Structure formats: C-alpha cells, structure tokens
Amino acid sequence: MRQKPLANLRVLDLTRLLPGPLATQHLADYGAEVIKVEDTGAGDYARTMGAMNGDTSFFYQVCNRGKKSVRLDLKRAEGRELFLRLVDTADVVVEGFRPGVMDKLGLGYDALAERKPKIVVCSISGYGQTGPYALRAGHDINYIGYAGVLDQIGTAGGAPALSNLQIGDLLGGTMSALFGLLVAVLDARASGQGRHVDVAMTDAALAHAIFPLAEVLAHGTVQPRGEDLLTGGVPCYGVYETADGRHMAVGSLEEKFWHLVCDTLGRPDLKAAHLATGEEGARARGEVAAIFRSRTQAEWTALFDGVDCCVTPILRLEESLENPQLRARGMVTEVDGVRQFGPPVRLSGFEPGPFAPAPQAGADSDAVLESLGLDAAEIARLRAAGVI
C-alpha cells in the first residue's frame, strides 16, 4: 500500500491552545509523526479549557488527535539536551511563544540550525518576530482589528461584529503556518538548508483582505461595512430572515442566478435590481426580505433545492454535522467516541484515518526517550529529578 503523504515528516510541537495544535493535527492527519512537547507543569492548558470530557476538554481532544506527548522541563539543562536530541531526529519544530523565548532557552533557530542545518523552525505569533508590536500580547480580535478585517464585518450602521471562527488564529496561525513550514521543508530537502518560518497572524489576515484592498486602490478608502458587494450592500448577496426566525443565504452574484431567484420568488420585476445600491437597492432588499419572511426556512430550502441559483439555508453547527454533503465528504468523523471534523483536503489514493485520540500528558515519554537510547534506569532518574 502507498504510505501516507507525510509519513516521512517528524514534527516537534511546542505549541498550546489553538493555532499551532490545530496546524500540527492537520500534519498528523496526513501521516506526519507529531511529538507534542509539553512542560512538566500545566502543559497545554487547553486540556482544561471549556467543557470537559473525562479528564480533558473537548477543545483539547479535537485539536490534538494522532499525536504523541512527551513532557520535558526545558528550563533545565538536561531537559534542553533531551530536546536537542529530539531535534536531531526531526524535520520541523513548531513553537508559539512570544518572540525571544526560544532564544532565552538556548533553543532558538540559530542554535538549532547550527546543530542541524536542515531543521525548519516555524514560529507562530500575533505580530511576528520583528516590528514595534512584536512583544505585545494579543488575541484574534486584536489581530484582525489591526488588519482592517474586523472593521468590515457587520451590518450597516452597526458596530463591528465578532465571529467565533477566529480569522486571525486559523487563517493566520494555522493555515499560513502549514503553508510556510511545508514550503520550507520542500526547500530543505532540496537544498540541505532549513529556514526559520516567521508567521504573524496579523500579517496573514491583512494579506487576505482582497476586496477591501481593491476598494482602497480604486477609491482611497473602504466602503462602510454593510454597504459593499459582500456585506449586504446589494439585493443579490445577503442574509434574509425567514418566517420562523431562521435565515437563508442568497449568493446570486451572477446575473443568471439572480434572474432565477426572481423567477422562483415570483418577482421578475426585481431582476433589474441585481446590483442596485442606494435607495433603489434598499427598496429591492426590503421587498426581497418581506418575501423571505413569508415562509419558513424549511419551506424555502425545499423550494430552492431544485433551483441552481446559490440560495441555501444558514445551518446551525449541529445541523451541519448531519448535512448529507458534509458527511459524504468525510467531514464528520468519530475519535474515541467524540465527534470531530475530518481532514479538510481530499487526496487521491489516500483515505484519512483511523485517528488515534489526543494523548494524555506525557503518555509517550518513555517510548520516545527509549528511541533516543535512554534505558529504564536513566528514564526513572530523570523522572525522579523532575526533568521529565
């Protein structure tokens, strides 16, 4: 059988919480060996955040499957030496500390590259390793605020709106880290020289604000939120409430789709308002809104399921988990009795899974250290000394 796509990739994961752990879980899903290196204290405090399932949280369990866990005290010389021995066997180190922390430990990129030139070190931070904000604390709301993204989200006349799908953390800290470290690994395998991958969540959010940038280039400023093409400024693209308080998503940007919508609604006279703005757009949106409020979401869904015009129900997540399209794509899986998301990218000749559950803290310390040549007596001594 063909081996998993990343079967020859070994990753040391020093990250905590969400962006880094989810990035390395994606790597594990595609076959990488991911060793989660936690401290000998609290470790990854995602373990106890939010609703618990046994002795660890659901949050931790859905971001750390398929990994091994080793606990090392990197503030101790012996702990650092064990980590360096792991680096000798690894391709990638992923860390999410504030800039400078790895250097203070003596484990920064320069030190690791001197020991192993091919090593790739991926550093995930809010503002990057350089610049005047590099050492500042932050969260997703701060990163997308600086990037001009948060300002664009919301309804006309209202305040910026928040989403619990973290744009900065996930687009920036997870997906951009994956892209960057895999680029560096390909280069390292071709050239024999690794790289330091500097991922700033703010940078990544900014780099994908394409439509607002186009507005600035054309007009010198963005349009107010709720008034542009994609935030409710035109009748053919927006959210409409239904009779039962649910909502439908209308994404009929192309004229042919909008014409189908108008015909399905029995209002061919609204076809001319496709991309209308200002008073005319507001009038048309109001009339479309009144029509959608006349039936329930289920009724509209049944009607538009047979019309290919980009009108769909807005589901709650528990409904998404039962959606036939998402289930057919393998996007809902179960690991150790816990429903989780499947890997988001399908590859020919590769069937994801089965998935091992997220590891208990230090569950693989003995096995990993034995693979480095330590015997049982030495492991017992290190454990008694608090190094592992």
Side-chain angles (χ1 to χ4, degrees):
M1 290 181 62
R2 190 174 178 182
Q3 66 179 4
K4 293 184 178 182
L6 297 179
N8 293 318
L9 188 72
R10 193 178 218 201
V11 179
L12 304 182
D13 178 10
L14 291 165
T15 64
R16 300 170 178 173
L17 295 178
L18 176 62
L22 187 57
T24 56
Q25 177 173 283
H26 285 317
L27 295 174
D29 283 348
Y30 293 94
E33 180 186 16
V34 178
I35 300 176
K36 189 175 179 70
V37 181
E38 303 181 66
D39 61 62
T40 54
D44 185 349
Y45 29 88
R47 291 178 182 278
T48 56
M49 289 185 67
M52 300 292 287
N53 180 36
D55 58 0
T56 53
S57 68
F58 285 109
F59 172 35
Y60 171 78
Q61 291 170 9
V62 301
C63 294
N64 289 281
R65 67 177 178 234
K67 303 178 187 180
K68 299 175 181 177
S69 173
V70 171
R71 300 177 72 190
L72 299 176
D73 186 350
L74 298 180
K75 295 180 180 179
R76 305 269 293 273
E78 286 185 299
R80 291 192 294 274
E81 179 56 32
L82 289 173
F83 182 76
L84 289 171
R85 290 174 66 176
L86 283 173
V87 169
D88 291 339
T89 72
D91 301 287
V92 180
V93 174
V94 186
E95 61 94 4
F97 302 119
R98 289 206 204 193
V101 170
M102 291 290 282
D103 287 322
K104 289 179 181 178
L105 291 170
L107 301 173
Y109 173 69
D110 290 341
L112 299 186
E114 183 177 356
R115 183 179 180 109
K116 184 175 184 178
K118 286 182 68 173
I119 196 69
V120 170
V121 176
C122 179
S123 297
I124 304 171
S125 63
Y127 303 109
Q129 301 297 301
T130 59
Y133 299 172
L135 296 179
R136 291 187 182 183
H139 281 293
D140 186 84
I141 190 173
N142 310 114
Y143 312 143
I144 64 174
Y146 272 123
V149 172
L150 183 56
D151 173 72
Q152 290 285 285
I153 303 173
T155 57
L162 298 177
S163 168
N164 62 1
L165 190 154
Q166 301 98 312
I167 297 170
D169 285 354
L170 299 173
L171 173 63
T174 294
M175 301 310 293
S176 293
L178 285 172
F179 160 65
L181 72 85
L182 289 173
V183 166
V185 166
L186 284 172
D187 180 46
R189 291 184 173 177
S191 68
Q193 183 66 47
R195 294 182 186 272
H196 187 193
V197 180
D198 176 3
V199 176
M201 291 181 260
T202 304
D203 293 356
L206 175 70
H208 291 85
I210 302 301
F211 270 70
L213 175 60
E215 287 296 320
V216 171
L217 294 176
H219 306 294
T221 185
V222 295
Q223 291 192 43
R225 61 182 158 273
E227 297 181 21
D228 77 339
L229 183 68
L230 300 182
T231 61
V234 293
C236 69
Y237 197 92
V239 172
Y240 291 97
E241 187 178 13
T242 59
D244 53 347
R246 300 295 299 275
H247 296 85
M248 299 294 288
V250 176
S252 307
L253 286 172
E254 293 85 348
E255 185 178 65
K256 62 179 181 179
F257 292 147
W258 176 245
H259 286 185
L260 281 172
V261 171
C262 295
D263 288 338
T264 304
L265 296 178
R267 290 294 304 273
D269 58 301
L270 292 174
K271 290 179 180 179
H274 176 212
L275 296 174
T277 58
E279 290 185 9
E280 181 187 357
R283 177 192 61 79
R285 289 197 306 275
E287 294 194 32
V288 173
I291 296 169
F292 273 106
R293 283 195 294 269
S294 69
R295 300 189 191 184
T296 66
Q297 185 191 66
E299 290 172 321
W300 286 121
T301 299
L303 177 61
F304 277 101
D305 264 353
V307 184
D308 189 22
C309 62
C310 309
V311 178
T312 55
I314 295 179
L315 302 182
R316 301 187 180 105
L317 182 61
E318 60 268 26
E319 295 169 327
S320 301
L321 295 176
E322 301 301 328
N323 179 263
Q325 171 64 23
L326 294 171
R327 294 193 74 88
R329 293 284 296 173
M331 284 309 303
V332 182
T333 189
E334 188 169 299
V335 181
D336 202 27
V338 177
R339 278 190 299 176
Q340 301 188 15
F341 300 132
V345 177
R346 307 292 291 184
L347 301 175
S348 63
F350 171 65
E351 188 63 34
F355 304 107
Q360 297 295 315
D364 304 283
S365 292
D366 286 19
V368 170
L369 295 178
E370 287 171 2
S371 73
L372 297 179
L374 279 70
D375 60 24
E378 180 65 2
I379 292 172
R381 184 191 70 78
L382 290 169
R383 181 167 284 116
V387 176
I388 66 171

